Amino acid sequence: MRALVLGGTGWLGRAIVRDLLAAGTEVTCLARGESGDAPEGARFVRADRRAAEAYGAVRGEWDEVIELAHEPDLVGPALDVLADGAAHWTLVSTISVYARNDEPGADESADLVEPRDLTEYADAKVAAERATAARLGSRLLIGRPGLIVGPGDPSDRFGYWPARLSRTGPVLVPTTSGRFVQVIDVADLAAWIGHAGRAGITGVVNAVGEPMTMGSFLRRVADVTGYDGELTEVEDEVLLAEDVRYWAGPRSLPLWLPREATGFAQRSTRAFRATGGSTRTLESTVAEVLADERSRGVGGPGRSWLSEEQAVLLAARSSRSSGRSGAAFSIDPSAR
């Protein structure tokens, strides 16, 4: 089998290439290489995809093409040159394409955002899906991953929690009641993409792991890290008033979502399982992520982290406020 990966030098791309190579696939990566070289064993074609004749060295027939980009000026030209010669095409999209996030259990038939502003990530991904479907038809698989996690994650959205719960002292958390976490390990996503290409699977699939309550998630992380301290739950309005942000980015509390977005972390896993998708245990992922965080220096600055100093100050301030915030509970080892 011959596969062309449009990318392959970034975090997810490298995981996909490594999985393909392990299965005996002949892999070519086309990328600028700004994230590094392709994994050993893959042919690396260094090219700027926005340049004229960027695809000159990879024209021809491929058993599989894997597209990771979403920008129109990358997606369109690749389709123009490569679509006719591809036996199977996988477009890696995202669950962010959905118009609504308040429908727990929603599947791939849910309505999508209307792509009005292609500088917006979700809009561009929908446009990429539509353009690719128009060219590939029945040869296309659209995979829509949820939150991708694992060692090496540059976003720190997941790694924050194993890192923080590996240390002592009270830990600030959002109120957990009614909140969920849904993740997929990067290695499991890569394995499914490789399997789907070899099996010729087509259609649209949400590539997501099983949802779990946020409370269960924190307890399971604590079980791996050995944390036995106190979690201080703080109400949303208090966090927002203190300029703590949702989900990711500076001053964020990772994985915290607005109440109305409860369906974002509860997408249906039915199609993923039916197409051969499988996921390792959360504990396995947490252990690998914690080892990675320690190798990089636990407690260091992260792109998504609320600093420990900010978290401690906010937790203390919240515990002194009125009864609407600052509820504390301890991790009970016997309840794990």
Side-chain angles (χ1 to χ4, degrees):
M1 178 175 173
R2 297 176 66 245
L4 172 63
V5 180
L6 300 176
T9 62
W11 180 51
L12 173 58
R14 290 181 66 85
I16 292 170
V17 172
R18 286 193 295 264
D19 183 84
L20 291 171
L21 291 170
T25 301
E26 179 185 325
V27 183
T28 295
C29 300
L30 176 72
R32 289 179 298 177
E34 292 185 351
S35 301
D37 292 332
E40 183 177 355
R43 175 192 175 211
F44 180 35
V45 177
R46 189 183 300 273
D48 182 346
R49 293 179 58 185
R50 293 182 171 90
E53 290 301 313
Y55 302 95
V58 295
R59 290 176 182 271
E61 296 185 354
W62 296 94
D63 298 305
E64 170 76 328
V65 175
I66 299 172
E67 173 65 280
L68 295 160
H70 63 279
E71 298 94 330
D73 58 346
L74 298 182
V75 172
L79 289 169
D80 291 340
V81 176
L82 301 169
D84 291 342
H88 183 273
W89 191 290
T90 298
L91 173 66
V92 180
S93 187
T94 171
I95 61 167
S96 295
V97 297
Y98 292 111
R100 297 180 59 178
N101 291 310
D102 60 349
E103 302 173 302
D107 63 17
E108 293 77 3
S109 66
D111 293 338
L112 307 183
V113 300
E114 192 58 36
R116 296 184 176 89
D117 180 358
L118 299 189
T119 64
E120 294 292 330
Y121 179 65
D123 294 41
K125 278 293 191 183
V126 173
E129 288 190 10
R130 292 178 180 175
T132 309
R135 289 300 303 272
L136 272 297
S138 62
R139 293 174 288 146
L140 173 64
L141 169 66
I142 296 175
R144 294 173 178 163
L147 176 61
I148 308 170
V149 304
D153 175 14
S155 77
D156 293 319
R157 286 172 295 189
F158 182 89
Y160 172 87
W161 293 109
R164 183 63 191 89
L165 291 172
S166 71
R167 303 194 294 278
T168 58
V171 173
L172 176 72
V173 301
T175 52
T176 59
S177 177
R179 286 200 156 97
F180 291 80
V181 173
Q182 187 174 39
V183 301
I184 183 166
D185 191 290
V186 64
D188 294 332
L189 175 59
W192 174 75
I193 289 171
H195 160 74
R198 291 186 292 273
I201 293 168
T202 58
V204 182
V205 178
N206 290 334
V208 290
E210 295 299 330
M212 69 196 88
T213 65
M214 179 167 271
S216 173
F217 166 76
L218 292 170
R219 286 178 171 85
R220 293 171 69 180
V221 172
D223 191 43
V224 175
T225 63
Y227 181 79
D228 59 0
E230 190 174 85
L231 305 182
T232 300
E233 289 196 349
V234 179
E235 296 287 351
D236 289 19
E237 60 267 28
V238 176
L239 293 172
L240 293 171
E242 295 288 344
D243 195 32
V244 180
R245 290 130 190 214
Y246 291 115
W247 190 244
R251 283 190 61 87
S252 70
L253 200 53
L255 308 189
W256 174 45
L257 287 165
R259 289 285 186 190
E260 60 270 20
T262 183
F264 184 84
Q266 295 185 79
R267 293 282 168 190
S268 171
T269 65
R270 189 177 301 110
F272 180 63
R273 299 293 180 184
T275 54
S278 63
T279 53
R280 65 200 59 205
T281 64
L282 176 70
E283 287 76 9
S284 174
T285 297
V286 170
E288 291 188 354
V289 169
L290 180 58
D292 178 58
E293 292 289 343
R294 283 174 169 161
S295 73
R296 292 191 286 162
V298 168
R303 291 174 60 187
S304 292
W305 291 29
L306 183 66
S307 75
E308 187 168 353
E309 293 79 9
Q310 291 168 336
V312 168
L313 287 172
L314 181 53
R317 189 180 307 162
S318 299
S319 66
R320 294 193 298 269
S321 66
S322 64
R324 49 182 197 140
S325 63
F329 66 92
S330 297
I331 294 291
D332 180 2
S334 66
R336 294 174 187 152

